[in-house]
Amino acid sequence: MRTGRSGPKCLRLGVDRLLNKGGIVNRTAILGTGAAVPKKVITNKDLESIVETSDEWIATRTGIKSRHIAEDGETTSTLATEAARRALEMAGVKPEELDMIVVGTTSPDMIMPNTGALVQKNLGASKAFAFDVYAACSGFVYALTIADKFIKESPGKKALAIGSELLSSITDWQDRNTCVLFGDAAGAVLLSGSSDGDRGILSTHLNSDGCLWELLYIPGGGCIYPPSAEMAEKRDYCIRMHGNEVFKHAVRSMADVAREAISANDLKPDDVDLFIPHQANIRIMNAVAERLKISPDRVYMNIERYGNTSSASIPVALDEANRSGRLKPGDLVLLDAFGG
Ligand code: UT7
């Protein structure tokens, strides 16, 4: 996608001049971004007293130094609501103007109703319809894709695409292979149509491979293995992961889909001004950037402070880059995620 000319305070995305050859075409613009994290911070040092690990191991293997973890009263929907309010405020849009709310999450407040409906209630977005997308760490990119299609169909409408997670609620705090990785956060973008020149979401590209499901999954809580005392005791409602295997597939598939997006728009990796990958591991991000030949100064990383926040990681990073002025008018931004 391309940022607008109005400056980083108001990230506007509209039309790609390369694709439209002079014609006015409505594309989806991001009118505002927002993010929210819990107040409580847990450092690697803190984790040393919970599992057998070290600050040195976590920092060198993952790039993570600390993460935000929710306390009482903070939930996936409250964080999502806070992030949404900030995105709405930046865009100067009222909740009553919203038509659609889509939340990417794997850690909803509850199975039913969906988190989007709770955000709708919290915001007072009375005319919006709301739903969740269940695509793990890729959840925000899926939500953005769906919202983009909706806005292209009805450019006058307004949609919120959100990624929000309380991964701490589905983390096995006795498993050092996973508990050092995750954090809680939410990020949101406010979208509407724009026919404004050379800016906007240029294209979106999604792929799945269900054959790999056993590499990263949550065994319990679904219809195969419903909640029970045994499930709770074994902590089978928590994330299980074969980290090494996930690592290899992540590097390969993130590089492949990024190439697909770049070539679909007749662009080159050199054209990318800011690459915002899913913040799962600093080594994964570096390996993907190296494969794409995108220099480190063009890769946005904040994993050090947040850990892996799943579907929230990209919109949180996008909001930071936007508010800090790292995004400049006319920048070409590449978002890239993978997950369970
Ligand atoms: O968001 C999408 C989902 N997740 C991911 O993207 C994660 C992808 N995978 C990874 O990021 C990495 O595979 C990990 C960070 C999870 C693990 O790093 P690794 O370099 O692949 O380590 P490893 O699993 O090969 O383990 C190396 C050693 C093992 O010890 P031995 O068998 O060599 O004696 C582990 O038991 O490190 C040990 N280890 C730890 N040591 C200290 C594993 N976790 C820890 C820990 N602290 N927290």
Side-chain angles (χ1 to χ4, degrees):
M1 63 190 185
R2 253 186 221 287
T3 57
R5 293 204 188 83
S6 51
K9 282 268 162 52
C10 182
L11 180 70
R12 288 222 171 91
L13 306 175
V15 184
D16 171 25
R17 71 183 148 223
L18 292 171
L19 292 180
N20 293 308
K21 312 220 172 5
I24 299 295
V25 178
N26 272 305
R27 295 222 173 207
T28 306
I30 294 183
L31 303 181
T33 61
V37 291
K39 284 180 204 66
K40 185 178 174 184
V41 174
I42 293 191
T43 63
N44 292 350
K45 276 265 166 239
D46 296 330
L47 287 174
E48 287 178 3
S49 61
I50 300 175
V51 285
E52 199 184 323
T53 191
S54 66
D55 174 35
E56 200 267 332
W57 190 97
I58 302 169
T60 53
R61 298 280 181 139
T62 71
I64 301 165
K65 294 208 170 135
S66 61
R67 69 286 291 144
H68 292 252
I69 299 293
E71 293 185 291
D72 286 353
E74 291 172 319
T75 72
T76 299
S77 75
T78 65
L79 291 178
T81 303
E82 211 178 315
R85 282 204 179 104
R86 290 183 182 149
L88 285 162
E89 198 182 294
M90 184 187 281
V93 169
K94 294 192 182 69
E96 311 86 87
E97 297 175 60
L98 282 171
D99 297 286
M100 166 177 160
I101 299 170
V102 50
V103 180
T105 187
T106 308
S107 45
D109 282 21
M110 44 190 136
I111 300 296
M112 190 171 70
N114 65 71
T115 311
L118 299 174
V119 173
Q120 185 233 8
K121 172 199 70 114
N122 294 345
L123 291 174
S126 47
K127 81 169 171 163
F129 65 91
F131 61 103
D132 289 1
V133 179
Y134 199 55
C137 303
S138 304
F140 174 74
V141 174
Y142 275 68
L144 187 69
T145 300
I146 295 164
D148 177 35
K149 308 289 180 212
F150 172 70
I151 295 294
K152 273 188 185 139
E153 193 66 29
S154 314
K157 303 228 167 178
K158 294 188 169 56
L160 267 176
I162 303 173
S164 186
E165 302 284 4
L166 231 74
L167 290 184
S168 58
S169 68
I170 49 169
T171 293
D172 182 346
W173 290 99
Q174 295 181 32
D175 176 15
R176 70 174 184 173
N177 291 297
T178 53
C179 77
V180 301
L181 304 175
F182 302 125
D184 301 334
V189 297
L190 190 279
L191 303 148
S192 193
S194 168
S195 56
D196 180 8
D198 56 352
R199 55 189 71 154
I201 295 179
L202 306 186
S203 64
T204 57
H205 305 261
L206 303 177
N207 299 292
S208 299
D209 186 352
C211 297
L212 301 174
W213 73 271
E214 280 171 298
L215 298 186
L216 181 53
Y217 70 113
I218 296 174
C223 65
I224 293 177
Y225 185 8
S228 65
E230 185 204 352
M231 187 196 86
E233 200 186 326
K234 291 178 161 171
R235 298 178 304 284
D236 278 340
Y237 57 87
C238 295
I239 300 167
R240 305 286 178 226
M241 180 172 68
H242 297 282
N244 263 316
E245 283 303 306
V246 173
F247 191 110
K248 285 184 243 166
H249 286 288
V251 172
R252 199 176 310 136
S253 57
M254 285 177 83
D256 286 349
V257 77
R259 282 194 200 101
E260 187 185 329
I262 289 167
S263 71
N265 291 284
D266 289 330
L267 294 163
K268 300 182 296 305
D270 252 2
D271 297 320
V272 174
D273 296 295
L274 192 64
F275 177 40
I276 305 184
H278 167 46
Q279 312 280 308
N281 186 315
I282 197 168
R283 293 183 294 135
I284 293 177
M285 293 188 273
N286 284 334
V288 175
E290 202 172 299
R291 282 184 179 214
L292 295 173
K293 298 196 173 25
I294 295 177
S295 54
D297 58 306
R298 291 183 289 142
V299 185
Y300 196 87
M301 292 194 198
N302 61 12
I303 189 171
E304 182 179 317
R305 287 172 284 130
Y306 301 116
N308 177 350
T309 60
S310 189
S311 68
S313 88
I314 287 181
V316 167
L318 184 63
D319 182 57
E320 273 192 1
N322 189 23
R323 286 175 192 266
S324 68
R326 175 83 185 265
L327 280 181
K328 299 280 182 292
D331 276 356
L332 182 71
V333 182
L334 175 64
L335 312 179
D336 193 357
F338 73 97

